[in-house]
Amino acid sequence: MTDRDNHTISRKSLNFMGERRNGILAQPGRRWIFSDKTSAIFALEITLINNNKIIINYDNEFQIYRDEHKA
C-alpha cells in the first residue's frame, strides 16, 4: 500500500492519504513536531479508487475489504 504520493506506508513517519486537504496516518502515540501533543487513534474508513475499503477501529485493528462486485 502506498500514500497519496506513491510512497510506501511507514510506521516511522507521517503518511498522507487521500486528497491534499485531509488524511494522515501515523503510529499511535507519535509526538507531533513542535508540540507536546501525541497522535491518537480515531476510527477511519478509507475507500480506494477500486472501491476496496480499509477500515481501522479504535483498537488500531484494521481490515481490508475487497469489492467482489467489480466488473
Side-chain angles (χ1 to χ4, degrees):
M1 183 185 315
T2 59
D3 67 9
R4 69 178 174 211
D5 294 323
N6 209 29
H7 299 119
T8 302
I9 300 295
S10 170
R11 294 182 135 208
K12 295 181 179 182
S13 63
L14 294 177
N15 300 279
F16 295 93
M17 308 296 287
E19 298 176 9
R20 293 279 175 208
R21 66 180 183 272
N22 58 20
I24 299 175
L25 295 179
Q27 183 72 10
R30 181 185 193 282
R31 189 182 62 78
W32 297 108
I33 299 172
F34 306 113
S35 173
D36 292 332
K37 294 184 179 184
T38 57
S39 62
I41 298 171
F42 293 92
L44 178 66
E45 181 175 311
I46 302 168
T47 302
L48 305 174
I49 292 171
N50 60 6
N51 286 328
N52 292 343
K53 292 185 179 185
I54 301 169
I55 298 174
I56 304 168
N57 66 22
Y58 283 102
D59 293 322
N60 200 27
E61 299 169 334
F62 72 94
Q63 297 174 325
I64 299 173
Y65 293 94
R66 298 190 186 277
D67 182 5
E68 301 295 331
H69 299 94
K70 289 190 301 189

